[in-house]
Amino acid sequence: QVQLVESGGGSVQAGGSLRLSCAVSGSILSIDAMGWYRQAPGLELEFVARIVSEVSTTYADSVKGRFTITRDNAKNGVYLRMNSLKPEDTAVYYCFKGWPPISWGQGTQVTVSS
């Protein structure tokens, strides 16, 4: 049973930065898709970013140029660097594995104040 545990969320002012981490209990292969979704209050789950291997990345239009997803297979970790944060980035961020996603973390709250 794969377990994913997110960390790194918190509160920040607009324009600030945060780095989310996702620790995976089992091993991950470079071909495994890993990534992040988010859910703001009252809204549906929204795709944020995905990474396959070390160089194949996909981003939602709303975060392109501001967020960067990376992974470290040796450390079983996936990371999301978020720069130039906006109040509309406020949400619970969930890490996932697989595509379509088959394993999820419990989420970490990100709050961006104006």
Side-chain angles (χ1 to χ4, degrees):
Q1 183 78 16
V2 174
Q3 289 188 326
L4 293 79
V5 179
E6 302 95 336
S7 61
S11 297
V12 64
Q13 289 190 329
S17 299
L18 284 174
R19 182 178 183 259
L20 304 184
S21 298
C22 175
V24 184
S25 63
S27 62
I28 54 176
L29 303 176
S30 62
I31 60 171
D32 289 329
M34 302 290 299
W36 298 86
Y37 270 78
R38 67 186 181 186
Q39 189 167 28
L43 299 180
E44 294 184 351
L45 203 59
E46 176 190 21
F47 171 79
V48 176
R50 181 183 72 205
I51 185 168
V52 181
S53 73
E54 301 295 331
V55 297
S56 177
T57 57
T58 305
Y59 295 93
D61 288 343
S62 58
V63 306
K64 279 182 182 177
R66 301 188 298 121
F67 290 11
T68 303
I69 187 170
T70 57
R71 64 192 290 166
D72 187 333
N73 293 336
K75 295 182 178 180
N76 290 350
V78 180
Y79 312 95
L80 187 68
R81 178 67 179 180
M82 306 185 295
N83 295 328
S84 302
L85 283 162
K86 304 175 181 179
E88 51 263 44
D89 294 319
T90 295
V92 178
Y93 285 70
Y94 298 93
C95 175
F96 68 84
K97 176 183 175 182
W99 193 258
I102 57 174
S103 299
W104 295 87
Q106 84 290 348
T108 186
Q109 176 71 46
V110 171
T111 302
V112 184
S113 58
S114 58

